[in-house]
Amino acid sequence: MSDSEDNVTVPQTKKTRVSTLQTEGSFHTEGSGDDVDETSSWSSNVDDASRSETPNQPGPGKKAGRGRRKFKNCKLQYKLTNYLKEDHGQPIFGIQFNNNTKDGDPLNFASVGSNRVTVYECQKEGKIKLLQAYVDADPEENFYTCAWTYEDTSGQPILAVAGLRGIIRIISPITMQCVKHFIGHGNAINELKFHPRDPNILMSVSKDHALRLWNIKTDICVAMLGGVDGHRDEVLSADFNIDGSKIVSCGMDHSLKIWRLDQPKVREAIENSYKFNVNKENRPFKTVTDNFPYFSTRDIHRNYVDCVRWFGNFILSKSCENSIVCWKPGTLSQTDNTVDKDKVTVLHRFDYRDCDIWYMRFSMDYWQKVLALGNQVGRIFVWDLDVEDPQLTRCTTLVHQKCATAIRQTHMNRDGSIILAVCDDATIWRWDRIK
Amino acid sequence: MTLSRGIDEVGQILRSKMRPKKKEKVSKEEKKPQFEQIQADHELFLQAFEKPTQIYRYLRTRNLIAPVFLNRTLTYMKDRNTRTNKDRETFKVDSLLEKVEAKQNQTTPHNYKTEYMSFTFTGFYDKQENFASDTVDVEAFLVKICHKKRKDVSSPVMQVSIGTVQVPVNPHQRSPSKAAAISVASEKFNYNNGHAVKSYMLLIKVTVKGSHSCNGSVSHSPSSEPPTKRRKNGKVSDMDGTELIFGAELVIYDKHKRCLLTDGDYELALTDLTSRMSPKKQATWETVMDGKAVGPFEVFSICPTLKFKLLWSEAPVNGPVSPPSPLVSDSEFLHNNQYNDAIDNRITSRESSPEKKTKNGLLPPAKKKTRIFYQFLYNNNTRQQTEAHDDLRCPWCSINCLQLYCLLRHLRLCHARFNFVFVHHPKGAQINVSINEGYDGSYLGNPQDLHSHIGYAFCRQGPVRRTPVTQVLVYRPTRPKFSLLEFMESEESDPHNTRQLAQGHNRLYYHTGTCQPVRPQEIDEDSESENDPMWLREKTIQMLDEFTDVNEGEKEIMKMWNIHVMRNNYIADCQFTTACQTFVAEHGVTIVEKNLCRNFLLHMINLYDFGLIKPEIITQTMMSINRIKDEITS
C-alpha cells in the first residue's frame, strides 16, 4: 500500500463503535498452550510476521528491540485475579481508577457503558466489590468516558461522566447524586480529563470538533478550543501535560494538535471563572475561544487517531494501525519554545497486533512506567517503559481464553500493580502484578 | 368487581400477559372461538389503556409521597377540606395563651404528679477528708431532655436551677438542728418552648468551698505541685484553695413518664466533677468472692455521699406509689394516625346530610350508593368494556371525590390522557372513557425552570436561588355554577383550561458561541453582534502573511484595509467612498508612521481601476494623508 492518503483504507467499523468480532486462529493455541495455569502472562515482542502484515509502517530503523528479549527475566508479570460481567451486556467504554486517594484508602474505580455508571472497590486478593450504580434516565444515553476528581474544599471524590448525549454529569459518590450537569456540547463527548493541578478544571473532547474547558466549581464554560484551525472532524482524545500548561488532542481528521493553556487569555479566563458570580452578573461569562493551536500535525498517523497521552515532553499516540507512536514536535534537539511548526520526530513505535478498530485506548500508570493496551480479540499488551532506551522496552501479552472481545480501555492504579480492562461484552477484567 | 380492581388487573396483566381478562362484552354476531376473541379483544384493550394507566399509577404513588398540590385546596374539591374557618370571626389573639394553658391542664394530670416535690438535705458525708468549713453548697437543677426535632442534631437539653442550700458536713448526731429543703412545683414539669420533654432529671451539684485544711500539718507543700498531679483516681488528697464540685444525677421521670423518684430517704454517692474521669472508665467487671469487699458496692464508703429525704408533699403518702402507665403516648399516637378514618367518617356524615346537597344543587338527591359505570371505549370507539363502581373514588388515584361533579372534574383535569364524557344512566351515572388523542404531554410551564439553574432543577435539598419569573399564582375568574352539563359533550373545549400560566418569554434560547442556555437576565446581550470576530481577524492576517509575492508594506496595507472593511461591513460598491474616508480617519497616522503612503496610493489606484471610486476621491484621500503627514512632521 502506498503512503498517499487517498489509498488509506478506512476501518470497517468506523461509524459504529461496536466491533465485529473475528476470532483469530492462533489465539486458542496460545491460550491452551499453557496447561498448568490458564490465566497467564507470556512475554514476547511483536514478532516479524505481524510486522509484515502492516505495510503502513515506514519503519525508519525502528526495530523495537527485536531479538533482545529474554523470555524468562521479564519484569512485568500479571495474573488474572478476577473478572465480572455487568448485566446490561453492552460495551463498556471507559474505566478509571480513582487515583486521587492516599495510601491506605480503599481503591475505587468506575466503569461506564450503556446508560450506566458503576463504582467498584478493588480489594485484596483479587476481590472486586460493587459499591454504587447509576442509571441515566434516558435509555438512549451511552456513556463513553469518565474521570475522577475531588472537591477542593472537602477532598471528597467526584466523578464526571459523559457520552452520546453530550451532557457532562458530575456525580458525587458521597451523596450518591448527580449534583451538576453541563450542557453546551453540540454532540457526543468522547473523553473527559481533569487538569493535573486544578481539580475544578475539566476538559471535554467532543464529536462537535471542539474541546472545552469547564470550571465545575462555578459551573462555567471557561474556554473552547477549536474553530478555523482546530479539528476538522470528531475529536477523540486529549491529554493535559504534567503541569497542565498544554493540551494535546487528536481526532478523526488524522491530526494531532497542541494547545497552550499558558497563553495569557486562557490563563486569565481560568482565573476569572473563579471570580465570576453567575447570580450577580447580568451577562454571560466571556468564554474564551482559541481557534489556533500552537502546533498541528497530520504526519504521525494515516487514520483516525483515537488515543493520545503526554509522555514527558514526548507524545504517545495511536491510530488503528497497530502501533503506538512515541514522537515529539519539531526536530529532536529543539526545545519547547523554538519548535519547528512543520516538523515532527518519531522516536519509537510500540507495535502490536489485532487492534485496527477505532476507539481503543491505552493507558499508563501514574509514574508512566507501564503502558497497557487491549486489542480487539481480548489480549492486553503491557510494555515496561522503565528503561533507558525506548528500543529496550519489552512487551508482555496478557491472555485469557474467556476474554475474547475488544478491550476498549485499560487503566492502572497508581503504581501499576493492577490493570483493569473493559470489554465489548460488558466484562471487566482484573490483572494483578506478580511480584 | 370494582373498577379499581379492574385497573389493578390491567397492571398485572401488563406484566405477565398470561391470564385472559374476566368479563367482557362480546358481540354476539362474531362467530370466532370465544377464547381467541376474548384474548384479541383484551390485547386491544391493553394497547389502548396500558400506558396511561401505568403513568397515572406512578403519579399517584408520587403524589402520596411528595404531593405537588393538595386536593383539599382545589375549588371543586371543597368538601374534602374538613377544616372550617368559622372560628376566625370570633378569634382574638389574647385568647391564645388561655387555650394552651387549658389544654395543658387537661393533659398534665395524666402525666405527672400534681404535688410539690421537696427534698430535705440532712448532710454531706465524706469519711476521707477533713473539711475546713462545716457546710457545703448544694445546688439542685432540673434537667429537661427534649424530643429531638427534625432540624436538631441532638436532643435539646434544658437545665433549670431549682435552688441552692447549705448542708452541714459530716453531722454526727442523728438529729440535725437545721435541715435545708428545696421544693419543686409541679408546673416545672411542663412542656417547654414547644419542645415536648422526653424525660426529667435531677442534677445535684455539691460545691465544697476550698479552704486550707485545718490540721495545721506542714508536711504538705502548699502550692508547689500542680493541682492535677495530686489528684489520683479522681480522689482528693488535699484541699488547698481550689473549689471542688461533686455531682450526681437522678432520673425523676423516664421517657415513658413514669416517676422513678419516689418518697424515701436517699443516700446519693457523689462523683468528683472537677476530675476528667469518664464514668465508663470506672466501670469494671467484678466477681463476688467470699464476702470480700467488692469495688462497686464499696462506693458509698469511698465516695462522698449526700443524704436527703424526698417527699411528694400535699398528699398523704403511705406505701409504694405505682408507676402510671403510659396512657398519653398511646392516645397521642392514635391522634396522629386517625386522619384517614376521620376523613372517611366525615364523608359518610356528609353524604347522609341531604339538605346540604340540595342547597348546592349539585347532585341529584343522594342515594345510599351511587353506582358509576365506566365505559372504556377503544379501537376507534368500536369496542367497549364496562366496569361498575360503587363509590366515588377515582379509579386511578383512589382519591375519594365525595361528589359526582368533583369526580368528573378530577378525572378531566388530573387524567387528561383520557377523555371523559358523562352520560345519564338509569341506574346511576355512566362515564365514557376513551383515549385523548390530542393530549399534549409537553412541558407546560416556563422552560427557564428546567434550564436556568444548571444542575439544580427541581432540587428538593433545600433553598435554591431562583430566577424571577412572572407566573400566575392566584387566579379568580368568575366561575360558572358547577353543573354536570359541562361533562356531557366532549367536543366543546373547556374555557377554563386555556389559560396561560407563565408570562413573558416562554421560550428558551441558546448562546451562539457556547450553545449554553441564555438566562433571562442575559436576553439583551447579543452574542452574535460582532461581524469581525477575533479569530477571523487573526486568520486574515495569517493568510496574508503566507503570501510570498507581496512585499511587507503591501501586506500591512492589505491587513489594515481588510480588517477595516470587515469591521464596518462595507459590502456595496457605493460604500467605498465612505470606506476610504473612514480608513484615513482611523489609520491615517499609522500609514504615515509606517511610511506606507505610497502603498496606500497604489491601493487607491487599484480601487479606481476596478471602478469602485471616482478619481477625485483619490486626490481627496491623499490630501488628507498629506495633512496628517504635515501635522506629524511639524
Side-chain angles (χ1 to χ4, degrees):
Chain A
M1 192 188 292
S2 87
D3 276 346
S4 84
E5 209 181 295
D6 301 337
N7 293 346
V8 170
T9 50
V10 171
Q12 48 178 325
T13 55
K14 221 168 186 177
K15 285 302 166 194
T16 64
R17 280 164 204 262
V18 182
S19 66
T20 50
L21 291 173
Q22 353 158 291
T23 358
E24 188 208 348
S26 64
F27 168 68
H28 289 296
T29 55
E30 281 161 7
S32 59
D34 218 4
D35 287 330
V36 187
D37 189 2
E38 61 172 340
T39 65
S40 71
S41 55
W42 53 274
S43 162
S44 83
N45 277 47
V46 179
D47 55 351
D48 291 353
S50 77
R51 185 177 302 277
S52 61
E53 284 165 16
T54 49
N56 261 350
Q57 314 304 329
K62 306 275 190 271
K63 291 297 175 189
R66 190 156 27 134
R68 246 180 276 264
R69 74 184 138 97
K70 296 282 190 299
F71 187 87
K72 279 177 185 169
N73 64 358
C74 183
K75 266 171 68 185
L76 293 174
Q77 297 229 307
Y78 287 86
K79 186 178 189 307
L80 182 79
T81 53
N82 201 348
Y83 83 97
L84 55 98
K85 183 163 183 166
E86 292 186 2
D87 64 344
H88 52 79
Q90 301 297 309
I92 302 178
F93 286 116
I95 187 157
Q96 290 289 315
F97 269 109
N98 180 7
N99 280 338
N100 299 322
T101 50
K102 286 187 287 246
D103 282 344
D105 286 353
L107 186 60
N108 293 345
F109 68 88
S111 70
V112 291
S114 184
N115 60 345
R116 312 283 188 89
V117 180
T118 322
V119 182
Y120 300 90
E121 181 183 333
C122 252
Q123 294 176 329
K124 277 177 194 158
E125 290 155 8
K127 278 181 197 144
I128 295 176
K129 185 183 169 193
L130 173 67
L131 296 180
Q132 297 170 3
Y134 302 86
V135 184
D136 196 272
D138 185 358
E140 300 291 304
E141 173 68 292
N142 195 355
F143 289 120
Y144 294 154
T145 177
C146 62
W148 288 92
T149 186
Y150 53 95
E151 228 172 73
D152 57 353
T153 46
S154 63
Q156 290 178 346
I158 287 174
L159 180 64
V161 295
L164 180 70
R165 297 214 305 158
I167 299 171
I168 302 169
R169 293 193 178 275
I170 307 289
I171 293 170
S172 163
I174 302 292
T175 59
M176 296 196 277
Q177 274 180 322
C178 172
V179 288
K180 286 175 182 181
H181 66 266
F182 302 119
I183 52 175
H185 267 302
N187 218 324
I189 291 170
N190 287 318
E191 188 151 40
L192 293 173
K193 279 276 166 70
F194 277 97
H195 194 281
R197 293 170 79 176
D198 187 339
N200 297 317
I201 299 296
L202 172 68
M203 169 178 66
S204 59
V205 159
S206 169
K207 192 176 176 177
D208 67 3
H209 307 188
L211 297 89
R212 285 187 191 215
L213 294 177
W214 307 83
N215 186 330
I216 63 157
K217 189 178 189 179
T218 52
D219 309 344
I220 283 169
C221 178
V222 179
M224 294 162 62
L225 312 176
V228 64
D229 274 6
H231 285 282
R232 299 295 179 92
D233 206 334
E234 283 193 37
V235 194
L236 293 176
S237 180
D239 191 30
F240 284 104
N241 71 340
I242 194 150
D243 64 349
S245 61
K246 279 183 284 187
I247 288 174
V248 61
S249 65
C250 62
M252 283 194 177
D253 58 354
H254 308 189
S255 70
L256 287 133
K257 292 178 193 290
I258 297 175
W259 310 81
R260 299 203 75 132
L261 301 186
D262 48 2
Q263 53 180 319
K265 69 171 178 182
V266 181
R267 228 178 38 223
E268 280 162 22
I270 291 176
E271 279 170 27
N272 290 338
S273 74
Y274 280 101
K275 295 172 198 155
F276 189 84
N277 188 339
V278 183
N279 291 326
K280 288 186 180 157
E281 300 282 346
N282 283 336
R283 28 176 209 91
F285 179 80
K286 200 122 185 71
T287 303
V288 165
T289 43
D290 191 358
N291 286 261
F292 305 102
Y294 160 74
F295 182 84
S296 180
T297 179
R298 284 166 57 95
D299 298 338
I300 307 292
H301 300 287
R302 314 228 158 268
N303 212 318
Y304 293 0
V305 189
D306 55 359
C307 191
V308 67
R309 297 290 177 267
W310 284 96
F311 185 51
N313 282 325
F314 302 152
I315 291 162
L316 290 171
S317 62
K318 76 167 275 289
S319 176
C320 22
E321 299 166 318
N322 286 328
S323 177
I324 296 171
V325 183
C326 177
W327 59 278
K328 77 179 285 293
T331 58
L332 198 57
S333 54
Q334 278 170 337
T335 55
D336 215 27
N337 294 322
T338 59
V339 160
D340 204 335
K341 297 274 166 131
D342 24 82
K343 283 216 176 81
V344 289
T345 312
V346 173
L347 299 151
H348 186 66
R349 285 173 193 276
F350 299 92
D351 292 324
Y352 44 84
R353 294 190 301 186
D354 302 323
C355 189
D356 46 22
I357 59 172
W358 67 278
Y359 212 77
M360 306 284 275
R361 280 131 192 273
F362 61 83
S363 67
M364 281 183 283
D365 64 322
Y366 181 78
W367 306 107
Q368 303 201 322
K369 289 184 174 174
V370 184
L371 171 68
L373 170 74
N375 73 358
Q376 70 211 52
V377 293
R379 279 187 259 175
I380 302 170
F381 303 96
V382 184
W383 288 271
D384 182 5
L385 301 176
D386 196 13
V387 286
E388 284 173 11
D389 184 349
Q391 314 270 338
L392 296 173
T393 51
R394 279 171 305 213
C395 174
T396 310
T397 311
L398 312 181
V399 188
H400 188 269
Q401 271 178 320
K402 285 182 180 168
C403 180
T405 52
I407 295 176
R408 289 298 175 177
Q409 190 171 28
T410 59
H411 202 246
M412 278 178 266
N413 63 341
R414 221 173 160 85
D415 59 357
S417 62
I418 301 170
I419 298 178
L420 289 172
V422 286
C423 290
D424 269 359
D425 59 352
T427 50
I428 301 174
W429 302 79
R430 174 176 172 175
W431 294 79
D432 282 18
R433 193 162 173 176
I434 306 166
K435 285 290 168 198
Chain B
M1 178 192 52
T2 62
L3 181 64
S4 64
R5 262 173 47 216
I7 296 288
D8 264 332
E9 198 150 333
V10 173
Q12 278 165 22
I13 291 168
L14 301 180
R15 267 166 248 131
S16 62
K17 294 216 170 175
M18 298 290 284
R19 284 188 296 148
K21 252 283 244 191
K22 46 286 129 97
K23 57 178 169 187
E24 290 174 12
K25 274 209 172 168
V26 185
S27 324
K28 280 152 203 160
E29 306 85 33
E30 307 270 321
K31 295 283 175 191
K32 281 183 196 170
Q34 187 91 352
F35 181 73
E36 251 180 56
Q37 201 211 325
I38 289 174
Q39 207 163 30
D41 191 50
H42 186 63
E43 280 298 316
L44 286 171
F45 176 73
L46 288 183
Q47 224 178 339
F49 292 100
E50 170 181 354
K51 239 337 180 334
T53 303
Q54 272 181 341
I55 290 168
Y56 289 128
R57 268 293 144 85
Y58 169 76
L59 288 177
R60 171 196 171 229
T61 321
R62 201 187 69 177
N63 275 346
L64 285 178
I65 297 160
V68 180
F69 60 88
L70 295 174
N71 277 301
R72 64 163 183 264
T73 55
L74 300 173
T75 333
Y76 59 89
M77 288 278 202
K78 260 180 196 148
D79 288 354
R80 278 191 73 85
N81 194 354
T82 54
R83 182 195 58 211
T84 56
N85 295 329
K86 256 185 252 165
D87 295 343
R88 282 189 190 175
E89 287 168 22
T90 55
F91 174 78
K92 276 186 184 121
V93 184
D94 301 338
S95 63
L96 271 177
L97 180 65
E98 281 167 36
K99 269 186 200 165
V100 171
E101 273 177 350
K103 211 176 188 180
Q104 272 184 356
N105 287 338
Q106 268 185 353
T107 51
T108 39
H110 300 286
N111 300 340
Y112 304 118
K113 302 184 175 210
T114 46
E115 312 96 335
Y116 285 89
M117 181 174 72
S118 43
F119 313 91
T120 320
F121 294 99
T122 44
F124 176 74
Y125 295 87
D126 195 349
K127 286 165 188 151
Q128 322 250 312
E129 301 299 333
N130 293 319
F131 290 97
S133 62
D134 46 1
T135 55
V136 290
D137 286 337
V138 174
E139 187 169 14
F141 295 93
L142 188 64
V143 180
K144 305 175 183 186
I145 297 167
C146 300
H147 277 290
K148 215 161 81 170
K149 284 191 175 175
R150 208 187 323 171
K151 62 189 178 199
D152 296 327
V153 182
S154 59
S155 302
V157 174
M158 271 165 281
Q159 195 168 317
V160 183
S161 175
I162 306 166
T164 313
V165 287
Q166 292 215 319
V167 174
V169 177
N170 294 341
H172 291 298
Q173 58 272 58
R174 269 281 127 191
S175 55
S177 53
K178 44 179 179 169
I182 302 176
S183 52
V184 186
S186 64
E187 284 96 46
K188 296 261 182 187
F189 304 106
N190 257 336
Y191 288 81
N192 207 315
N193 232 357
H195 286 279
V197 179
K198 200 156 63 174
S199 61
Y200 292 95
M201 294 216 298
L202 183 70
L203 176 69
I204 292 178
K205 266 189 197 171
V206 180
T207 314
V208 181
K209 283 277 158 53
S211 54
H212 289 281
S213 48
C214 58
N215 52 10
S217 84
V218 283
S219 60
H220 298 285
S221 49
S223 54
S224 57
E225 281 178 82
T228 46
K229 266 196 175 174
R230 266 174 257 129
R231 283 191 207 129
K232 301 242 163 107
N233 303 326
K235 277 192 232 158
V236 187
S237 60
D238 195 12
M239 325 251 92
D240 45 346
T242 48
E243 223 173 49
L244 284 176
I245 300 170
F246 297 96
E249 284 180 347
L250 285 171
V251 178
I252 305 171
Y253 290 104
D254 70 354
K255 60 181 174 185
H256 300 298
K257 302 191 165 77
R258 283 182 299 224
C259 177
L260 299 185
L261 216 56
T262 50
D263 294 352
D265 285 325
Y266 288 79
E267 182 167 7
L268 195 58
L270 303 169
T271 50
D272 188 1
L273 291 180
T274 42
S275 71
R276 293 293 158 96
M277 196 72 113
S278 78
K280 272 183 194 160
K281 281 180 188 160
Q282 289 169 329
T284 50
W285 284 101
E286 303 282 347
T287 329
V288 183
M289 288 286 280
D290 307 332
K292 266 192 229 165
V294 179
F297 295 150
E298 300 304 310
V299 72
F300 289 100
S301 58
I302 299 165
C303 293
T305 56
L306 182 73
K307 282 188 180 167
F308 65 89
K309 189 186 175 79
L310 190 141
L311 196 69
W312 292 89
S313 54
E314 273 197 14
V317 185
N318 282 318
V321 180
S322 61
S325 55
L327 257 177
V328 177
S329 51
D330 274 352
S331 67
E332 216 166 74
F333 176 80
L334 277 178
H335 183 75
N336 286 335
N337 289 284
Q338 66 188 354
Y339 172 76
N340 283 332
D341 284 339
I343 287 275
D344 283 350
N345 287 341
R346 277 187 201 100
I347 285 158
T348 45
S349 66
R350 298 222 173 176
E351 275 177 351
S352 59
S353 60
E355 84 285 343
K356 183 154 191 159
K357 273 152 211 158
T358 44
K359 197 170 71 187
N360 289 345
L362 300 185
L363 262 191
K367 293 167 200 159
K368 202 73 194 156
K369 274 179 185 173
T370 322
R371 184 159 263 244
I372 296 169
F373 299 91
Y374 290 89
Q375 191 101 297
F376 292 94
L377 303 169
Y378 53 102
N379 200 16
N380 286 332
N381 295 350
T382 55
R383 309 200 58 84
Q384 63 178 39
Q385 272 189 38
T386 316
E387 285 185 2
H389 209 357
D390 277 339
D391 56 17
L392 287 155
R393 284 179 189 275
C394 166
W396 284 274
C397 37
S398 60
I399 180 174
N400 194 340
C401 297
L402 307 179
Q403 290 183 23
L404 184 59
Y405 175 84
C406 304
L407 174 68
L408 282 162
R409 195 80 193 267
H410 166 82
L411 290 173
R412 278 236 173 141
L413 292 175
C414 295
H415 305 294
R417 285 165 197 272
F418 300 116
N419 287 321
F420 297 95
V421 179
F422 172 71
V423 182
H424 281 293
H425 193 275
K427 287 176 192 163
Q430 182 184 322
I431 299 173
N432 290 343
V433 187
S434 56
I435 296 297
N436 183 358
E437 305 291 348
Y439 178 74
D440 181 11
S442 61
Y443 184 65
L444 273 173
N446 191 331
Q448 299 292 355
D449 291 344
L450 295 178
H451 292 281
S452 58
H453 312 279
I454 293 175
Y456 285 102
F458 296 121
C459 175
R460 283 174 179 268
Q461 296 288 300
V464 194
R465 192 190 172 99
R466 306 192 59 167
T467 323
V469 167
T470 310
Q471 272 173 313
V472 178
L473 291 182
V474 183
Y475 170 56
R476 288 190 182 171
T478 47
R479 293 179 201 278
K481 267 211 157 179
F482 291 163
S483 128
L484 286 169
L485 284 175
E486 55 186 277
F487 304 113
M488 301 286 267
E489 286 296 315
S490 62
E491 298 304 312
E492 257 179 65
S493 66
D494 191 357
H496 308 299
N497 291 345
T498 56
R499 189 64 51 177
Q500 192 186 1
L501 292 175
Q503 301 281 326
H505 251 298
N506 207 9
R507 200 178 283 184
L508 188 69
Y509 298 91
Y510 294 89
H511 286 294
T512 327
T514 58
C515 301
Q516 293 196 294
V518 176
R519 295 180 302 143
Q521 58 266 50
E522 292 166 6
I523 207 122
D524 297 327
E525 188 95 353
D526 189 357
S527 49
E528 291 183 296
S529 57
E530 54 180 357
N531 44 28
D532 63 331
M534 191 61 203
W535 67 267
L536 191 53
R537 278 177 276 161
E538 249 177 86
K539 192 68 190 170
T540 313
I541 292 168
Q542 269 185 20
M543 278 156 65
L544 286 170
D545 277 335
E546 279 167 19
F547 282 128
T548 48
D549 52 348
V550 183
N551 71 38
E552 289 304 312
E554 283 169 322
K555 279 184 187 175
E556 283 301 309
I557 286 289
M558 282 169 157
K559 287 176 196 171
M560 275 193 273
W561 179 261
N562 280 1
I563 288 168
H564 178 72
V565 168
M566 208 154 64
R567 172 174 304 150
N568 297 300
N569 211 12
Y570 295 123
I571 43 168
D573 290 1
C574 63
Q575 286 175 303
F576 272 78
T577 314
T578 344
C580 290
Q581 286 159 356
T582 48
F583 186 69
V584 171
E586 275 179 44
H587 300 280
V589 182
T590 334
I591 292 167
V592 174
E593 276 173 352
K594 290 193 175 170
N595 199 17
L596 301 169
C597 299
R598 294 183 70 82
N599 293 108
F600 183 57
L601 178 62
L602 268 174
H603 175 61
M604 300 295 290
I605 290 164
N606 256 332
L607 290 177
Y608 167 73
D609 283 348
F610 283 94
L612 291 167
I613 49 173
K614 292 173 193 163
E616 57 263 32
I617 302 297
I618 300 178
T619 43
Q620 274 173 24
T621 16
M622 287 324 285
M623 269 165 70
S624 44
I625 285 282
N626 286 335
R627 225 175 292 132
I628 293 167
K629 205 189 250 175
D630 293 342
E631 277 171 27
I632 287 173
T633 46
S634 63

